[in-house]
Amino acid sequence: MPIRYYKLSCGSCGKSETISRHEAQVRLTAARKLRAAAWDADESLLDELIPTLLAQLPCSCGEKNWQITGLESADDWSESPRCRDCGRVIPPARLAVLPDAERCAECQAAWEEGRATGPERYCPRCGNPMKLTPRDIGGVTRYVWVCTKNPPCRGV
């Protein structure tokens, strides 16, 4: 059966999180380790490629010391659900009210306010970090990703 989830554990700081194959592909594409064209590749090839590439990404502590385990289903998760952005355990009280919560309260508030959460994004044109900037579009404030290069390369 194909691997659908990956459990990542940092050997340096102890951070642990479980992510889906889709989220792993998003992170690897943002880090320029995987091309968007590879998303259509055979699942068995992706199951071999993704753990190797995930191990090359740095943890939030800055170290590249990930231990990666492939899981077939969400039932294999032997721990409490963790925030998809910061990796902390989502409190049981929050899960009692919002059983499908993917983020802790702090990360959810940041996400709703348009502040960046999760892995850093990079400009697809120049590779510089991107930041969220408010824009007034049709009388509604929306947040859009903008390249931090000076002057901006307008990559989106």
Side-chain angles (χ1 to χ4, degrees):
M1 181 169 206
I3 297 171
R4 302 276 185 219
Y5 301 92
Y6 298 94
K7 181 176 179 181
L8 288 75
S9 303
C10 180
S12 299
C13 69
K15 178 181 177 180
S16 177
E17 63 181 316
T18 303
I19 60 174
S20 66
R21 178 190 292 146
H22 175 74
E23 190 174 347
Q25 288 174 296
V26 169
R27 288 185 187 187
L28 292 170
T29 303
R32 301 182 135 203
K33 298 282 184 186
L34 187 67
R35 292 186 176 168
W39 285 48
D40 297 329
D42 181 36
E43 287 183 353
S44 61
L45 176 64
L46 287 172
D47 289 340
E48 290 183 32
L49 186 62
I50 288 176
T52 304
L53 294 176
L54 283 173
Q56 297 174 9
L57 298 180
C59 175
S60 57
C61 69
E63 298 293 323
K64 296 180 181 179
N65 194 7
W66 288 114
Q67 284 85 37
I68 297 149
T69 307
L71 305 173
E72 293 180 2
S73 71
D75 296 335
D76 291 344
W77 298 4
S78 60
E79 57 189 52
S80 300
R82 295 185 173 268
C83 176
R84 68 182 287 177
D85 295 340
C86 68
R88 293 183 300 219
V89 174
I90 299 174
R94 180 169 173 78
L95 292 172
V97 177
L98 301 166
D100 295 332
E102 295 181 339
R103 294 180 177 91
C104 64
E106 294 83 17
C107 291
Q108 183 68 32
W111 184 76
E112 289 173 357
E113 293 172 4
R115 291 184 279 142
T117 59
E120 192 168 359
R121 293 190 182 195
Y122 297 94
C123 177
R125 292 183 82 190
C126 68
N128 283 335
M130 296 183 74
K131 66 178 180 177
L132 279 175
T133 305
R135 293 275 167 86
D136 185 34
I137 302 173
V140 177
T141 301
R142 304 208 186 251
Y143 292 91
V144 295
W145 288 101
V146 178
C147 178
T148 58
K149 184 178 178 183
N150 194 3
C153 71
R154 302 190 197 289
V156 178

